[in-house]
Amino acid sequence: MLKHSLTFILLISISTLFSQNNTNYWQQYANYDMDIDFDDTNYQYEGDQKLVYSNNSPDTLTRVFYHMYFNAFQPGSEMDVRSRTIQDPDSRVGDRISKLSESEIGFMRATSLTQDGVALDYELAGTVLEVELHKPILPGGSSTFTMKFEGQVPKQIRRSGRNNAEGVELSMTQWYPKMAEYDFEGWHADPYIGREFHGVWADFDVKITIDKDFILGGSGYVQNPNEVGYGYEAEGVDVKRKGKKLTWHFIAPDVHDFAWAADKDYIHDTVTGNDGTTLHFLYKDNTDIKENWKNLQSKTVELLDYFNEHIGPYPYDQYSVIQGGDGGMEYAMCTLITGERKFGSLVGVTAHEMAHAWFQHILATDEAQHEWMDEGFTSYISGLAMNEVMDQNRENPTAGNYRGYVSLANSGYEQPQTTHADRYAYNRAYGTSAYSKGAVFLGQLGYLIGKGNLQEVLNRYFDEWKFKHPTPNDFIRVAEKETGAELSWYLNDWTRTTNTVDYAITDVNTAQGTTNITLERIGLMPMPLEVKVDYKGGTSETFYIPLRIMRWEKPTAGTVVEDWAWAYPTYNLEVPSTRYGIEKIEIDPSGFMADVNRENNVLILEE
């Protein structure tokens, strides 16, 4: 199950009553038991769900909410209308939902719901089921909800669905009634409009009864491998295929989602990682892609090693890479990716989605409010991993993210990263803010505190906040505690405003053997500066100007000079040399400061 079984037992027994340096921290917990009967002739299914919900909050709950995601795939849904009215729609969605027939739409609805045996009143509002409780759930209390529900798998459009472009029959994500998260901010009953997810930490026990010819993979551990023929048959044991259907039994401990995929033509391979993790690969029996998928397996072992070292130890016993979906999307203990790709792209999408196993499915940030913490951190670390695993030898593996961010910052379309993921005016603005600007947040933090310190921060962040729901402040406090630097200004300016970094060299003059370099802060966002001076004859010197509000100096950054307070728009840097001995002056020669106009960062002095 979990590699560290004692840790797992403690997590289950006291679930969310523990905290890290905050005695007020709490989080909810749930136990799902689900039995699903699937009809692949019409892609409909019926389910029985028993959900034991533990209220670890200090609040009395009088209602709950369930996500009913498949209802997004109906003409007139919020996802449909938003896609048809936003100026730059996701091409995978476009106006496709509006054209779905009754047999192609998705739906999910409860047919009965009880709390501790008493029938409840509920109302379906799009993709959210609103439920009034018969009896309040008191702090420290729990209730058992039983629901009968039915669903129809939509034609593949976004993430979930049937018969995707590569012929995978079932990509079953966001497929079950899922309890909404309740935390210190209250309920997170967000409608499914297009972005990603937030969920309650839970244990899942799932039985899926489906045509016996399907091969399944997904979250959790198969409990009856010999019965379903999942590649674990003991020698001489016959696979029991009774009747037309088989029941696959999965258990997924301490996760906040459950996903699966199924196809009658999957090849299933397993490889054991160096840490003992079983890596599963499920992909179509397609001669055009088999070689790439075989070669992917050793690279996935290398990626697992990289993330274990540079984030923290992967705690589960398995991870699955599954062909399906509409691109790449992470889920608990697995990912669904499209598989008809060139090899480099196949490794790249696996690297990104696999990194999400740490930054979203172990460190479970709210992706509706803090999507950049997941997508950005994942983009940053997967770029570094690809640089090593694929021998790319790039000096700055995050350089592409810097270019993307600078383009957005100069476009006039940027919104603060505190914007709710569904409230961005443009899809491009959302994507660049979440992925590129989020990655630059870490790359630039490395510039602020040093790459070695950044690595220590990431390891400590994982160790302190795994199996919780960290917020941006939780991360920056880890960075402050690890380094001693004051960094709240960095979090504020970078994520809560659209202030930019822009420094310039505006004047150079020499008097009495000293060269005076005038620097100007043009952008509103401050930074400590590294200024490199190249002298004639081939020598150079780097001067480090600390930022006063940071109250800290980066080790080995160069010759430390007087600090710079934010309110002063200019700074005079005195260099003990004549002007005629200097060839070039450059602000931020490393390029890890996200200056939005680097043309004024360099001055080459004339003869």
Side-chain angles (χ1 to χ4, degrees):
M1 299 297 180
L2 287 176
K3 287 196 179 74
H4 308 292
S5 57
L6 176 60
T7 300
F8 173 60
I9 292 169
L10 289 172
L11 284 166
I12 297 304
S13 62
I14 62 176
S15 65
T16 56
L17 300 180
F18 64 81
S19 65
Q20 182 62 50
N21 299 326
N22 184 348
T23 56
N24 295 320
Y25 181 80
W26 54 267
Q27 65 190 28
Q28 310 292 61
Y29 212 85
N31 286 271
Y32 289 85
D33 281 284
M34 292 189 283
D35 285 277
I36 311 301
D37 188 7
F38 195 94
D39 185 348
D40 66 307
T41 63
N42 58 11
Y43 297 103
Q44 294 183 5
Y45 55 99
E46 296 179 345
D48 289 293
Q49 182 188 87
K50 176 184 174 183
L51 194 162
V52 180
Y53 183 77
S54 298
N55 180 17
N56 296 319
S57 81
D59 306 323
T60 297
L61 304 181
T62 59
R63 57 180 180 169
V64 298
F65 300 90
Y66 288 82
H67 295 287
M68 312 292 272
Y69 291 116
F70 272 1
N71 296 327
F73 301 100
Q74 299 176 9
S77 70
E78 289 192 71
M79 182 184 286
D80 172 38
V81 173
R82 179 59 172 162
S83 182
R84 289 188 285 115
T85 55
I86 196 169
Q87 293 193 51
D88 60 337
D90 186 327
S91 60
R92 291 168 293 193
V93 182
D95 63 351
R96 293 175 62 203
I97 296 176
S98 68
K99 298 176 180 178
L100 294 176
S101 68
E102 284 296 313
S103 64
E104 294 174 329
I105 66 169
F107 66 71
M108 190 182 301
R109 52 197 176 222
T111 56
S112 69
L113 178 60
T114 68
Q115 177 195 7
D116 299 326
V118 178
L120 296 177
D121 292 329
Y122 54 88
E123 182 178 351
L124 183 62
T127 60
V128 176
L129 188 71
E130 303 169 348
V131 182
E132 295 297 325
L133 297 183
H134 164 72
K135 180 181 179 181
I137 309 175
L138 300 178
S142 66
S143 270
T144 299
F145 297 92
T146 57
M147 180 192 295
K148 290 185 178 296
F149 66 95
E150 56 189 18
Q152 178 171 286
V153 185
K155 181 179 178 181
Q156 176 78 50
I157 290 180
R158 189 70 184 99
R159 301 189 178 100
S160 308
R162 66 197 201 225
N163 302 314
N164 81 345
E166 297 181 348
V168 175
E169 195 156 355
L170 293 170
S171 298
M172 297 296 289
T173 62
Q174 293 82 54
W175 62 276
Y176 63 94
K178 180 180 179 181
M179 183 68 75
E181 178 63 288
Y182 183 88
D183 62 17
F184 69 101
E185 295 179 308
W187 285 105
H188 295 266
D190 295 309
Y192 187 26
I193 297 175
R195 304 306 181 200
E196 297 181 26
F197 312 103
H198 193 31
V200 183
W201 284 105
D203 295 336
F204 286 82
D205 188 316
V206 181
K207 296 182 179 70
I208 302 167
T209 301
I210 195 168
D211 185 284
K212 63 182 177 62
D213 291 330
F214 279 102
I215 299 171
L216 274 63
S219 304
Y221 309 104
V222 178
Q223 300 300 292
N224 55 343
N226 285 335
E227 181 179 343
V228 299
Y230 201 51
Y232 297 118
E233 298 93 336
E235 185 175 352
V237 176
D238 293 328
V239 176
K240 301 174 183 177
R241 297 185 181 275
K242 297 180 180 179
K244 295 182 178 180
K245 289 187 174 183
L246 284 175
T247 298
W248 293 66
H249 183 193
F250 293 89
I251 288 179
D254 219 43
V255 296
H256 55 86
D257 201 4
F258 187 97
W260 56 283
D263 194 83
K264 297 172 183 175
D265 197 34
Y266 270 150
I267 294 173
H268 172 221
D269 295 333
T270 60
V271 174
T272 302
N274 294 319
D275 64 346
T277 300
T278 300
L279 297 169
H280 296 262
F281 299 86
L282 291 99
Y283 54 98
K284 295 281 286 184
D285 189 2
N286 178 346
T287 55
D288 293 334
I289 67 172
K290 282 183 181 179
E291 183 178 0
N292 280 350
W293 276 81
K294 292 291 185 183
N295 292 335
L296 172 67
Q297 295 168 24
S298 62
K299 291 298 182 183
T300 306
V301 171
E302 294 180 54
L303 290 169
L304 177 62
D305 289 342
Y306 189 91
F307 297 142
N308 279 340
E309 177 182 355
H310 292 90
I311 310 174
Y314 182 70
Y316 304 104
D317 289 337
Q318 74 173 47
Y319 184 83
S320 299
V321 181
I322 306 169
Q323 185 180 1
D326 65 343
M329 183 64 195
E330 73 279 1
Y331 296 97
M333 302 167 65
C334 69
T335 181
L336 270 64
I337 61 174
T338 48
E340 296 177 3
R341 301 166 176 264
K342 292 183 179 179
F343 182 64
S345 174
L346 188 64
V347 178
V349 72
T350 301
H352 182 87
E353 303 308 332
M354 191 177 193
H356 278 299
W358 283 258
F359 283 127
Q360 177 52 24
H361 285 283
I362 302 171
L363 294 160
T365 55
D366 177 1
E367 293 178 287
Q369 295 191 99
H370 314 303
E371 65 279 355
W372 61 272
M373 289 184 70
D374 174 38
E375 295 295 352
F377 288 18
T378 292
S379 296
Y380 174 82
I381 204 70
S382 62
L384 269 60
M386 284 290 288
N387 199 47
E388 180 171 305
V389 168
M390 298 299 283
D391 298 318
Q392 294 172 336
N393 298 314
R394 294 173 179 169
E395 187 173 346
N396 180 3
T398 316
N401 291 304
Y402 277 77
R403 290 191 294 271
Y405 160 68
V406 169
S407 175
L408 176 64
N410 290 326
S411 72
Y413 298 117
E414 185 184 8
Q415 295 172 244
Q417 286 182 312
T418 50
T419 303
H420 188 284
D422 285 318
R423 308 290 190 271
Y424 282 84
Y426 295 90
N427 273 320
R428 179 204 165 203
Y430 161 80
T432 304
S433 179
Y435 292 76
S436 296
K437 189 176 182 181
V440 174
F441 176 88
L442 282 187
Q444 189 168 241
L445 182 60
Y447 165 82
L448 289 174
I449 64 176
K451 291 182 179 178
N453 280 332
L454 176 60
Q455 181 59 67
E456 294 299 319
V457 167
L458 288 174
N459 290 144
R460 181 170 177 174
Y461 171 57
F462 178 84
D463 186 57
E464 292 189 4
W465 285 98
K466 60 191 175 189
F467 298 109
K468 301 181 188 178
H469 292 296
T471 67
N473 188 64
D474 296 322
F475 176 80
I476 212 66
R477 290 293 292 128
V478 168
E480 289 182 328
K481 289 183 288 185
E482 183 64 31
T483 63
E486 296 296 322
L487 295 167
S488 61
W489 63 271
Y490 180 58
L491 181 68
N492 287 335
D493 272 73
W494 191 255
T495 69
R496 297 167 182 165
T497 77
T498 56
N499 293 345
T500 58
V501 177
D502 185 8
Y503 282 88
I505 303 166
T506 57
D507 190 35
V508 178
N509 63 75
T510 299
Q512 299 179 347
T514 298
T515 297
N516 292 290
I517 304 169
T518 301
L519 307 173
E520 182 180 358
R521 177 186 52 76
I522 299 171
L524 286 173
M525 183 168 180
M527 277 283 149
L529 292 189
E530 295 174 12
V531 181
K532 184 182 178 185
V533 177
D534 291 337
Y535 301 106
K536 291 180 180 179
T539 61
S540 65
E541 186 174 8
T542 298
F543 296 88
Y544 176 67
I545 305 172
L547 180 65
R548 184 171 296 177
I549 59 173
M550 197 169 167
R551 317 293 179 192
W552 186 81
E553 298 172 4
K554 183 170 67 172
T556 65
T559 301
V560 181
V561 295
E562 185 180 359
D563 62 17
W564 188 346
W566 174 83
Y568 302 148
T570 61
Y571 181 96
N572 182 59
L573 175 63
E574 294 186 355
V575 177
S577 172
T578 68
R579 175 178 179 180
Y580 304 103
I582 296 176
E583 288 185 340
K584 179 182 174 183
I585 304 168
E586 182 175 7
I587 297 172
D588 181 35
S590 70
F592 280 96
M593 187 176 77
D595 196 305
V596 298
N597 178 18
R598 301 196 70 84
E599 291 183 1
N600 56 19
N601 286 26
V602 178
L603 181 65
I604 298 176
L605 302 182
E606 298 177 357
E607 293 290 340

